[in-house]
Amino acid sequence: MSVFTPTQPPALAQGVVSAAALPAADVLRALDVVDGEGLTGEEVLRRQAQYGSNAVATHRARVFPVLWHQLRSPLLGLLAAAAVASFLVGERSDAVVIGLIVTASVGLGFVNEYRAEKAAEALHSQVHHQTVARRDGRATPVDVTALVPGDLVELRLGDIVPADLRLTAVTGLECDESVLTGESLPVDKSLATVTAGTPLAELSGCALMGTVVRTGAARGVVVATGPRTEFGKIAAGLDTHPLDTEFQVGLRRFSMLLVYVAGALTTSIFVINVVLHKPIIDALLFSLAIAVGITPQLLPAVVSTSLAAGSRRMSRRKVLVKRLVCIEDLGDVDVLFTDKTGTLTTGRIEYMRAVPAGGQHAAAVVRWGLLGTENEARDAQDVGGNPLDQALWRSPATADGRAGLDGYAQVSVLPFDHERRMVSVLLRDRDGRLSLVTKGAPETVLDRCVDVPPAARDALAVEFSAGNRVVAVAIRPVATGTQAVGPEDERGLTLAGLLVFIDPPKPDAAMALRRLSGLGIAVKVVTGDNAAVAAKVCHDLGLPESGVMTGSEVDALDDAQLAEAIAGTTVFARVSPEAKARIVHAQRLSRGGVAFLGDGVNDALALHAADVGISVDSATDVAKDAADVILLEKDLNVLADGVGEGRRIFANTIKYVLMGTSSNFGNMASAAGASLFLSFLPMLPSQILLNNLLYDSSQLAIPTDNVDEEQLRKPSHWDIAFIRRFMFSFGPLSSVFDFITFGVMLWVFHSGPAQFRTGWFVESLATQTLVIFAIRTRRIPFFRSHPSLPLTLAALSVVTIGAVLPATPVAHTLGFQPLPMAFFATLVGMVVAYLALIEVGKRLFYGAEVTVSPAPRHYAGRRHLRRRASRFSTAADLRAGTRTSPRSGPTEVAPRT
C-alpha cells in the first residue's frame, strides 16, 4: 500500500476546522444539501468526478516501486559501477558476465515479488468497507471510498468515521480520536460550534476520519474526503509501508546485522588483497561480490511468495485475510479473547421453559416476554436480530402465549443498551390501561424489582449453575396519559418470572480448544452473559478454571492492575463494549500477540484494539469492517488452521535466513582466509555472484516446505541474537570443508587458478544447497523430517547444474575448467561428512540453547494509523481524482450570502 500526498492548495485542506466554527445549518446550506434527504445520485457522480475517491492510499501493484525495491541495494549499485569500470579497463568479459548475473538476480526477485503484490491487490480488492449514507432521501449502504463532500452519513457504535464530518444530529456520541491526537480518553461530541482556530482535539462539533465511535449515534455531513481530511494529511506523511508488524521489524534488524557483517568482511578482504598487490579492480570487484554473496538478496521475494501462497492456502481453509501481513500477525498470537455464543456454543439458542414468580402463570410470563421486544412483533421474522427473542418467538412451546397478544399495542420503547442491559416497552391493552414491561439480564432486572421471592432467586441460581441462559421479565402499571418511558421509570417493578434458554456447547469446541492450547495459545472468554453460565460452559469444554471477573470488577481496576489480573482470569462476564476494549488493550501491554474474535456491534471496539481482529462471515457489518481476518465459518478449528499457517510461513522464512546467513558467512570467511595465502583470487567475482544466484533460486521453493509439528506449538518471534549465534556457530563448519577443498585442489590435483576456482565453486554450491535438508529441522537425524517435493527437486537440480556447468560450452566464458572424476568422488564424501558434522553441531547448539522470553512489543507510533489507512485505499490512481477548480467549495465551507 502506498500513501498519496495531497496536491490541494493549503486553504482547501482546512474544511473540518472551518466547518466546526459554523452552525450545522450553515454548513448544510453551503454544501447545497437538505438535511434528511442527502444528495441525488446525479449530484454524487458530479462531485465524485470533481473530488475523486475518498481514499488516502492505493493498494494497486505497481511495476516501478517493486523494481526499485530490487534495485535500491547500495551493494548492487557499487557492483554495477565496478563492472562498468572493469569494462572500461579492458576486463569486458568479466563485466558482461557480472552484468548478466546481476540482471538475472534482480529479475528473479522482481518477478516473484510483483506476483506477490498482485496477489495482495486481488486479496485487498475482495474486501469492501461500507457506511450508511442518505442519498435520494433513503439510507443506503455506500462504500467508504465513494463518499463525496455533502453526503449525509449515519454513525453508530463501533463505526470508523469514514470522512471528516460536521455533525447535524447527536445522541450521546463519544469518539476515540487516539489515532489522530494520541489522547486515550474518548471525546464527547455535540452540535455546538467552536471558535475559529480551535485545536484538532477540541473540535467537539465534528467527527474526524479514521476515529472510532465509542458510544452513541449521530448523523453528519461530509465536509472533506480523502487526502483533504485531517487523517489524510497525516497519512500522507507516512512511509509507504502500510504496517510495521513484529515480523517486519525483525527483518529490518536482521538486515542491519548483515550490513555490519558485510561491511567488516568487504573492507578486510579489499585491504588484504590490495596489501598483497593484487589488481585493485579485481580486489574491488571481489570484495563487493563477497558483500553481495553474504546478503540473502531474495529474502523479500521469499517472504512475499510465502505470504501470497499462504493467503491462498488460508482461503482454501476458509480464512480470509484482509492484508498479507495479517498472516504473520496471526501466527504471532499467544492470547485469544473470544465471545462465547456461536464460538464455544452452537449459537442455536432454544427456548426451554418459563419459571413464574409472584403468583404469575408460565403462560403470562411468556406473554410478557413476547410483548417486551423493541419491534412491535407478530412473528419470529419481526423481532429483529436478538437471538433470544427469535428463539422465544419461534418455539412451539410459546404458542399459547402468542395467542393472547392481539389486545396490546406498543406506545413507547426504551431500547436495550450495554449499560442498562435491559429493554423496556410501554404497552396499552384493549381497555386503555398502560403497563411497563422490562426484560433483560436477571441481575439488573431483579435490582429494580420490589419484593423478589427467595424462591425466584434460588431458581435463578439453579439455572445459572446448569449453564442455561436466563432472561428476567418484570412489569408494573403506568399512569394513564404517559407517552414515553426513560431509565428513571425502570423502578418499582414486580418480577413476573424467568425465561430459560439453552445454548449447548459445540460438539467439536473442546477439540478446537485443545488444538489452540497445543499451539501455545491461551483462550479467554469475554462475554456479555452471566458469569456462572460462562464458567459452566468453559468447565464443560475443559478450559482452565483460573478465575472469573465481571464487568464491574474490571471497571474498578486501573490499566496496570487489569493487565496483572488478566493472567489469572479465564472468563470475563457481563462486560460492556468499552470494557472489552480495555481488556484487550491491557493484554497488549504485555508480551506476545493478542487476538480478539467477535461478531457483534458490541465487539467492534475490541476488534480495533487487538493486534489481530478476527470476525466471521455471518457477523454484523460493523464487526467485519473492524476485523483484520474473516473466518468463513465460526469455528475455532478454522482459526487454529489460520494460526498454524501463519507460523508455518514464519518457520519457512527463518529456514532461509538461518541457512543463507550461516552458509554464506562460512563461504565468505573462507574466501577471506584463502586470500591470505593464494597468489590469485580464490573465486572470480562473476563466479561468486553466479553461485549466489543459483543457490537463491533453489530457495524460492522454501515456501512450499513442510514444517515439523513441534515448530508450530508456540509463537515464533524474531531473535536476532539467536540468528547471530547460529551464523557464527554453523558458518565455520562450512569453512572447514572449504579449506579441505582448497587442500585437495592444491595438493592432490595440483590445480591451477581456473580448476581451483571450479572445484571450490562446485563444492561450495553443493554443500550450502544440500545443507537445507539438515538445517530445515531440529530433528536428529534430519531425514526424520520430510521436505516438500518442490524443495527437494529444486535443491538437487541446482547441485546438478553446478556440477555439469564446468563441462558446458559456456565454462570458458565463466572462467571454469573441467574437473576430474576423482574430484566428484571426493565431493560425495565431503558432502556426507559435512551433513554429519552439521548434525553434531545441531545437537550441541540446540542442547545449549537458552530460551529467552520475547521482549514486550513496542510498535512504531504510527502503527495503528497505517493499519487504519488501509481501510481508505483503492486500486485506482489517486492522483487522477484530485482535480481542483475555483468551485471546490465543499472542502472549505463558508456560508452563502
Side-chain angles (χ1 to χ4, degrees):
M1 181 183 72
S2 60
V3 178
F4 169 64
T5 302
T7 58
Q8 306 303 102
L12 295 180
Q14 302 299 321
V16 72
V17 176
S18 299
L22 299 174
D26 289 352
V27 176
L28 289 168
R29 188 165 54 253
L31 291 169
D32 196 18
V33 59
V34 178
D35 194 18
E37 292 295 318
L39 301 174
T40 64
E42 181 180 349
E43 180 63 14
V44 168
L45 293 176
R46 188 188 72 80
R47 296 191 186 191
Q48 284 176 342
Q50 182 177 3
Y51 297 106
S53 177
N54 180 36
V56 299
T58 177
H59 56 257
R60 182 165 58 94
R62 293 181 295 171
V63 170
F64 291 109
V66 176
L67 182 60
W68 173 243
H69 190 242
Q70 300 297 320
L71 294 173
R72 65 183 181 181
S73 167
L75 292 175
L76 282 180
L78 288 173
L79 194 61
V84 170
S86 180
F87 182 86
L88 294 177
V89 299
E91 302 290 339
R92 297 187 176 182
S93 60
D94 284 351
V96 170
V97 170
I98 292 172
L100 290 174
I101 292 171
V102 170
T103 301
S105 178
V106 170
L108 193 61
F110 168 79
V111 168
N112 281 276
E113 193 165 348
Y114 185 71
R115 287 175 57 191
E117 289 285 323
K118 293 295 288 185
E121 177 185 327
L123 178 65
H124 204 132
S125 297
Q126 294 179 40
V127 181
H128 299 280
H129 299 283
Q130 292 190 322
T131 189
V132 177
R134 297 197 69 83
R135 290 179 175 176
D136 294 313
R138 298 189 304 273
T140 306
V142 176
D143 194 287
V144 295
T145 60
L147 288 176
V148 295
D151 263 324
L152 290 175
V153 174
E154 306 283 349
L155 297 178
R156 52 186 174 172
L157 175 68
D159 277 350
I160 295 178
V161 179
D164 280 354
L165 309 178
R166 176 60 169 98
L167 298 173
T168 60
V170 172
T171 305
L173 182 68
E174 293 183 3
C175 291
D176 178 354
E177 298 182 346
S178 59
V179 72
L180 291 179
T181 65
E183 294 293 333
S184 59
L185 295 177
V187 179
D188 291 323
K189 297 295 181 178
S190 66
L191 300 182
T193 60
V194 297
T195 58
T198 298
L200 193 66
E202 299 176 16
L203 300 182
S204 57
C206 297
L208 304 175
M209 181 193 224
T211 62
V212 181
V213 176
R214 290 290 298 267
T215 59
R219 182 169 66 245
V221 61
V222 176
V223 296
T225 57
R228 294 170 292 276
T229 64
E230 298 301 318
F231 180 89
K233 287 184 284 184
I234 296 175
L238 294 178
D239 186 274
T240 55
H241 230 287
L243 175 66
D244 284 335
T245 64
E246 282 291 282
F247 189 86
Q248 291 164 322
V249 170
L251 276 178
R252 285 202 300 274
R253 291 174 180 167
F254 169 64
S255 299
M256 288 306 300
L257 168 66
L258 292 182
V259 167
Y260 296 140
V261 174
L265 279 176
T266 302
T267 304
S268 60
I269 290 173
F270 178 71
V271 170
I272 290 171
N273 280 277
V274 171
V275 169
L276 295 176
H277 305 293
K278 294 175 183 175
I280 291 182
I281 288 293
D282 287 350
L284 178 62
L285 285 171
F286 181 69
S287 59
L288 288 176
I290 290 292
V292 172
I294 199 173
T295 307
Q297 292 169 270
L298 294 187
L299 180 58
V302 169
V303 172
S304 300
T305 304
S306 294
L307 293 176
S311 71
R312 292 190 293 269
R313 283 191 296 269
M314 292 178 77
S315 180
R316 290 194 294 269
R317 295 186 177 194
K318 303 183 179 179
V319 180
L320 174 64
V321 291
K322 290 185 177 180
R323 297 167 291 115
L324 289 180
V325 291
C326 293
I327 299 174
E328 300 150 354
D329 281 338
L330 192 57
D332 198 36
V333 165
D334 54 14
V335 176
L336 169 67
F337 294 99
T338 178
D339 61 355
K340 175 177 68 68
T341 303
T343 306
L344 301 180
T345 63
T346 61
R348 294 188 298 272
I349 299 173
E350 300 293 339
Y351 168 73
M352 294 177 65
R353 58 181 169 269
V355 180
Q360 295 279 343
H361 296 289
V365 179
V366 171
R367 183 177 71 249
W368 294 124
L370 292 167
L371 289 167
T373 58
E374 293 188 20
N375 302 318
E376 193 165 7
R378 287 295 176 264
D379 57 48
Q381 282 70 42
D382 294 337
V383 299
N386 188 315
L388 294 171
D389 282 346
Q390 292 174 351
L392 186 66
W393 274 88
R394 70 171 178 258
S395 172
T398 62
D400 292 342
R402 292 197 298 270
L405 303 182
D406 292 339
Y408 293 89
Q410 280 190 4
V411 178
S412 176
V413 176
L414 183 60
F416 178 93
D417 66 50
H418 295 285
E419 295 297 327
R420 294 166 34 254
R421 308 195 63 79
M422 297 181 296
V423 59
S424 291
V425 180
L426 183 61
L427 299 171
R428 179 185 294 112
D429 65 15
R430 59 171 53 93
D431 297 325
R433 292 185 299 247
L434 296 177
S435 301
L436 179 68
V437 177
T438 298
K439 183 174 70 175
E443 303 94 324
T444 54
V445 173
L446 265 61
D447 284 346
R448 289 162 173 77
C449 292
V450 295
D451 300 326
V452 177
R457 295 189 183 275
D458 293 341
L460 179 61
V462 170
E463 298 295 348
F464 279 161
S465 64
N468 297 327
R469 300 188 67 174
V470 183
V471 172
V473 182
I475 57 174
R476 76 171 176 87
V478 177
T480 303
T482 303
Q483 296 297 317
V485 293
E488 68 278 1
D489 297 307
E490 296 171 326
R491 294 289 187 273
L493 303 171
T494 298
L495 181 66
L498 308 174
L499 299 172
V500 182
F501 302 82
I502 186 172
D503 183 14
K506 280 185 176 180
D508 60 348
M511 181 187 70
L513 290 172
R514 287 194 296 271
R515 282 190 64 194
L516 290 171
S517 178
L519 290 169
I521 297 176
V523 178
K524 299 180 184 292
V525 177
V526 183
T527 179
D529 207 347
N530 175 268
V533 174
K536 177 65 165 58
V537 171
C538 292
H539 175 271
D540 292 345
L541 293 174
L543 270 179
E545 300 178 46
S546 57
V548 178
M549 288 186 70
T550 62
S552 58
E553 292 171 330
V554 170
D555 294 339
L557 302 177
D558 62 28
D559 287 348
Q561 292 170 326
L562 179 57
E564 185 177 346
I566 288 174
T569 306
T570 300
V571 175
F572 298 86
R574 296 296 194 208
V575 288
S576 65
E578 292 81 7
K580 290 182 180 181
R582 272 197 69 213
I583 291 167
V584 171
H585 178 73
Q587 178 61 36
R588 287 186 64 241
L589 297 177
S590 63
R591 296 179 174 90
V594 180
F596 183 89
L597 171 60
D599 62 356
V601 172
N602 58 329
D603 295 319
L605 299 178
L607 288 166
H608 289 308
D611 291 314
V612 186
I614 306 168
S615 194
V616 294
D617 196 39
S618 58
T620 61
D621 290 340
V622 174
K624 286 194 289 187
D625 279 354
D628 303 300
V629 177
I630 304 294
L631 307 182
L632 302 184
E633 286 185 7
K634 193 170 185 181
D635 185 346
L636 290 179
N637 280 299
V638 175
L639 177 58
D641 289 340
V643 171
E645 187 62 39
R647 293 183 184 176
R648 196 184 71 81
I649 291 171
F650 185 90
N652 279 338
T653 303
I654 291 297
K655 289 177 189 177
Y656 175 79
V657 169
L658 294 180
M659 183 185 62
T661 53
S662 59
S663 296
N664 287 354
F665 175 74
N667 288 338
M668 300 311 107
S670 300
S675 300
L676 294 173
F677 64 86
L678 290 177
S679 60
F680 52 87
L681 292 178
M683 197 182 295
L684 297 177
S686 59
Q687 293 168 346
I688 293 176
L689 295 176
L690 178 60
N691 183 297
N692 200 45
L693 176 64
L694 289 172
Y695 161 74
D696 274 343
S697 301
S698 72
Q699 305 317 299
L700 287 174
I702 281 183
T704 70
D705 194 25
N706 305 318
V707 175
D708 297 338
E709 183 182 349
E710 53 267 26
Q711 289 184 266
L712 304 178
R713 288 177 183 165
K714 60 181 180 179
S716 298
H717 308 279
W718 278 94
D719 186 343
I720 301 303
F722 171 81
I723 295 173
R724 184 169 54 246
R725 290 196 307 272
F726 194 97
M727 179 174 71
F728 290 138
S729 298
F730 288 87
L733 298 183
S734 171
S735 295
V736 168
F737 287 88
D738 287 336
F739 282 105
I740 292 175
T741 302
F742 297 161
V744 168
M745 299 307 297
L746 291 174
W747 301 321
V748 176
F749 297 110
H750 306 290
S751 301
Q755 193 177 69
F756 178 95
R757 293 163 181 158
T758 305
W760 187 33
F761 176 91
V762 173
E763 179 270 338
S764 171
L765 185 61
T767 52
Q768 73 171 342
T769 302
L770 294 178
V771 78
I772 181 60
F773 297 116
I775 287 179
R776 59 173 293 279
T777 178
R778 292 192 179 193
R779 294 179 181 177
I780 301 173
F782 65 83
F783 46 77
R784 292 175 52 230
S785 175
H786 302 293
S788 68
L789 181 61
L791 179 61
T792 302
L793 293 177
L796 295 179
S797 297
V798 163
V799 173
T800 302
I801 290 173
V804 171
L805 199 57
T808 63
V810 298
H812 178 71
T813 303
L814 295 172
F816 291 139
Q817 184 175 313
L819 295 166
M821 291 304 299
F823 170 82
F824 292 102
T826 305
L827 177 64
V828 170
M830 284 195 295
V831 168
V832 171
Y834 178 49
L835 294 179
L837 184 59
I838 291 292
E839 293 296 277
V840 174
K842 281 167 53 180
R843 185 177 296 278
L844 296 174
F845 181 82
Y846 291 120
E849 183 185 355
V850 178
T851 302
V852 179
S853 298
R857 298 150 71 94
H858 296 289
Y859 290 109
R862 296 299 188 185
R863 178 179 189 269
H864 278 285
L865 195 148
R866 295 179 184 186
R867 175 176 168 181
R868 195 69 48 82
S870 68
R871 176 187 179 87
F872 303 100
S873 68
T874 176
D877 187 350
L878 293 182
R879 291 169 177 78
T882 56
R883 298 185 300 274
T884 59
S885 70
R887 300 181 64 253
S888 298
T891 56
E892 171 62 19
V893 181
R896 294 184 175 182
T897 57

